Structure formats: C-alpha cells, structure tokens
Amino acid sequence: MMGEILFLAHRVPWPPNRGDKIRSHHFLQKLMDRAPVHVACFAEDEGEKQAGWERKSELASSKIVLRTKPQWLGGVEAILSGKPVSLTCFDNAEIRAFVARVIGTRPIDCIFVFSGQMAQYIPIDFAGRVVMDFGDVDSAKFESYAEEGTGPMAWINRREGRLLSGFEKEIAGRADHALFVSEAEAHLFRQRSGLGDDRVGAMGNGIDLEFYDAPDVHPADLGHGGPMILFTGQMDYQPNVQAVQSFSRQVMPAILSRFPEARFAIAGRAPADKVRQLDGKNGTIVVGAVDDIRSWIVAAEVVVAPLRIARGIQNKVLEAMAMAKPVVASGCAAEGIDAIDGEHFLIARSVDEEASLVCGLLQNSGEARQLGERAKQLIHARYSWKRQLADLPALCGLPTAVTAGVAA
C-alpha cells in the first residue's frame, strides 16, 4: 500500500508569487496528485500564514509557523553553535515537534525537502526515502558575496559559504536524490561533493503556459512617455538590488543618450531603500508590488535581467520569453536556460553591451518582435511544468500514472 509524503519548505508554497514559491508550489501539487502529503513550512508574516489556496483542504495535515526569530539572534546562535546562519535562522521547536509527530504516527515513505535550510529537520533515524531539492548551490552564492565584499560582511559570507558547503555535502550524502534547478548547478555540486549523476541531478523550472498566454491581459499604463524597459523580481533580494542599481546608474545614461524618453521600470515586491533611491533618476521608475505582473510584461518593449550574481534559472527570464518579449540578460542570468543567444534572447557580457543590445531592440521593433516570438515558441516546446516535473514522482518512489486518493 502506498505511503505518505512529508513536504518541508522554508516558505509557504502558496500563492506562487515569487521565484522560490513558484517552484515549491508546483512540486507540491505534483506530489499531491500521487499521494497524501503533510506540509511543514514557515510564513514571513501573518498574511502569508493565513493565505488561502483552493487545494489546501486536500493536504493530509499542515503546520505553518510564523518566522519571528530576528536575524541578529540567528547570527548569535550560529556563532555559539558553529552552524551556518542559514540553519539557525530557520531552527524552530514547533516544526521539529510536528515532524516527529507525523513520522511517528503516519506511514511516511518519503521526505521531500525544499531548500537547504529545511534539511536540518530530517530525523537521523528516518529509514524512508529522502529527496532534497537544493535549487541552487547556496554555499557558492555566499562565496561569491565574500569575494565581492570587504570588512566584516566578507568574513560573515566566507564563513557561511564554508559551513554551508559542508552541510550541503552531508545532506546530499544522506539523500537518495539531490536536485538542482539547472544542469550547470548540478554539475557544480557534483564537482564539490564528489557524488555522481545517479545521486545529483537537475530538475528545471517551468512556466504556467496557460497563465502567461492569456490574450486578455491589458498593458500597465505609465502615462505618456517613451519606450519601457522592464525588470521584475523580489526587490529586497540582494542580487536583484545590485542588478537594478547597476542598470539604472551605468546602463540607462547610455540608453537615454539615444532614446531620451526611455523609462526603466522596476516592478516587484518589497523594494529595498537602495532600490527606492533610484526612483526618478536616469529614467528609472520604482513601481513596487503589482497586482498582475503580466500587465507590466505586456507593456514593456524590452525585458532585462542584468544580474551580476545569479544562480540557477531565472523565472523572470522564462516569464518574459513566454509572453513573447525580447530579453537582454547577463551571462549568469541566462545560465541554465536551454536557449540560443541571438535566436531566443540576447546575452550581454558587459555594461556597454547591455546598453547597445537594448538600444538595438528599441531601434528595430521588427527584430525585437521576431526574437520574442521565437522565445515564446521555445518556452512552449520545452518549459511546461508537466514536462519539467515528469520524473519527480518516480524519484520519490511514487506511481507516475495513477492518481492517488488524498486524505483531507
């Protein structure tokens, strides 16, 4: 008889309104279609904790804990314990108790862990299957931060990268399968861990093709003005903050010299102070949270992803391509996407090239339109969630064709 699944996530997997939640949301739904699933996760605020979802009643059980531990306390605990801050900030007695109760009372055959922070909850004596979705190699990200930083923050990031690297290897050695969002990330982790491709693999992000193909979406209205260049993302996330700072300050002046009425719109939740300070400068408009990101993508002439530090696959790039928009991306933002530079998107290898490529698209609307159409065709052919997650049930030891009954 088929058993049940314990799904651990560092954020509530609904609604799918940011990159990591989009991925966890679709993973969760795929597993719910095959077996009863118990969910334990954290909420960033009360609104997220209480958020509704039409399939919530289908869960076998759930535990959503409001994450109230301040980062400074997590840092103190990390120093005292010798653990990474990423773990101590997500250490919680309620989650541990829930995990122990579910495993002790239910026939849990598989623990699916979304994000490395939650791997600390895998019981040492659990005898079932463990599937770990790291997404990105987080330790490598902190190592990059350390290389770019100076002073105390460089030391903190260097420590975090070193300790996380050891923890990632330990957990991957414990898991039956370790998943990453792209083959590039999986290859990097194989090199760092010494594990083979039988244990470490890639499972990419997908796109809700029906949602992004909606023909009745009305473009956002910024009022009168010139062409709009768009960046989307969670705007308190440091790589996104760095990206828009660089584009606004270093790229937009060159674009404005050729297109004086051009505007750079930054659309996304929780813009940091450094982002808000860009508003009104060099044609930059900080939009903040929006009700429907599709309306902003529709309104844009060009979508940019000028990230200087990036890991895995950028949903912002896939979403724009799905809506037939021309995309100019940095090399690291394009990494992991199975597309061809010059055919499906344009890759810029410097600040000057970002300006040149964007101006070229603004100047030649026909070329921009063709680039976007080819991008859309590629996304429809390769990036549906059904295609991307086809192997997930088998990795978790579940049937791949028969829909299981799910406990309420």
Side-chain angles (χ1 to χ4, degrees), residues 42-120:
F42 287 93
E44 294 295 310
D45 53 45
E46 195 62 38
E48 189 173 65
K49 184 176 181 179
Q50 301 299 332
W53 180 40
E54 64 272 14
R55 296 194 65 181
K56 193 173 181 179
S57 62
E58 297 178 32
L59 294 172
S61 67
S62 64
K63 182 67 175 181
I64 304 174
V65 174
L66 193 62
R67 194 162 74 90
T68 57
K69 182 185 292 186
Q71 191 164 6
W72 68 263
L73 180 56
V76 170
E77 292 177 359
I79 296 297
L80 294 176
S81 65
K83 296 179 180 179
V85 178
S86 303
L87 298 190
T88 56
C89 281
F90 283 84
D91 188 15
N92 180 271
E94 290 183 72
I95 295 287
R96 290 191 185 280
F98 176 81
V99 169
R101 180 177 63 79
V102 169
I103 291 178
T105 60
R106 302 302 305 170
I108 303 297
D109 283 348
C110 176
I111 299 177
F112 183 91
V113 186
F114 184 86
S115 190
Q117 297 98 317
M118 302 303 289
Q120 62 186 305

Side-chain angles (χ1 to χ4, degrees), residues 5 11 103 116 121 136 183 193 198 200 218 240 266 272 318 362 385 388 390:
I5 297 172
R11 286 193 179 94
I103 291 178
Y121 295 107
D136 308 325
E183 178 53 37
S193 67
D198 60 324
V200 178
H218 298 290
N240 287 345
I266 302 170
L318 297 180
L362 295 180
W385 277 110
Q388 294 296 319

Side-chain angles (χ1 to χ4, degrees), residues 46-281:
E46 195 62 38
E48 189 173 65
K49 184 176 181 179
Q50 301 299 332
W53 180 40
E54 64 272 14
R55 296 194 65 181
K56 193 173 181 179
S57 62
E58 297 178 32
L59 294 172
S61 67
S62 64
K63 182 67 175 181
I64 304 174
V65 174
L66 193 62
R67 194 162 74 90
T68 57
K69 182 185 292 186
Q71 191 164 6
W72 68 263
L73 180 56
V76 170
E77 292 177 359
I79 296 297
L80 294 176
S81 65
K83 296 179 180 179
V85 178
S86 303
L87 298 190
T88 56
C89 281
F90 283 84
D91 188 15
N92 180 271
E94 290 183 72
I95 295 287
R96 290 191 185 280
F98 176 81
V99 169
R101 180 177 63 79
V102 169
I103 291 178
T105 60
R106 302 302 305 170
I108 303 297
D109 283 348
C110 176
I111 299 177
F112 183 91
V113 186
F114 184 86
S115 190
Q117 297 98 317
M118 302 303 289
Q120 62 186 305
Y121 295 107
I122 303 171
I124 295 175
D125 58 352
F126 179 67
R129 187 180 297 239
V130 173
V131 178
M132 178 70 231
D133 181 38
F134 286 102
D136 308 325
V137 184
D138 276 348
S139 58
K141 178 177 65 179
F142 283 102
E143 290 166 7
S144 298
Y145 291 163
E147 291 174 3
E148 292 200 352
T150 58
M153 284 307 300
W155 179 86
I156 291 171
N157 286 325
R158 192 174 301 112
R159 176 188 185 275
E160 190 74 2
R162 174 175 52 82
L163 294 178
L164 266 185
S165 179
F167 180 73
E168 289 166 347
K169 293 174 187 176
E170 176 187 341
I171 293 303
R174 167 73 175 83
D176 294 87
H177 299 283
L179 303 178
F180 292 85
V181 74
S182 69
E183 178 53 37
E185 292 292 292
H187 177 71
L188 174 63
F189 191 75
R190 292 186 200 110
Q191 292 180 318
R192 293 164 71 97
S193 67
L195 296 172
D197 56 11
D198 60 324
R199 302 280 298 283
V200 178
M203 187 163 287
N205 282 348
I207 281 290
D208 185 335
L209 299 178
E210 184 177 350
F211 179 77
Y212 285 99
D213 201 31
D216 56 347
V217 174
H218 298 290
D221 184 10
L222 273 180
H224 297 292
M228 185 175 76
I229 303 156
L230 178 67
F231 179 94
T232 66
Q234 180 74 17
M235 293 317 305
D236 58 356
Y237 180 53
Q238 187 59 28
N240 287 345
V241 174
Q242 292 176 347
V244 297
Q245 284 182 304
S246 173
F247 195 86
S248 177
R249 294 170 178 171
Q250 298 177 279
V251 181
M252 280 303 295
I255 293 174
L256 291 170
S257 69
R258 293 181 58 182
F259 297 90
E261 300 300 316
R263 297 161 297 174
F264 175 42
I266 302 170
R269 298 171 62 238
D273 288 340
K274 290 180 179 180
V275 175
R276 293 186 182 279
Q277 291 167 8
L278 301 173
D279 191 50
K281 301 174 182 177

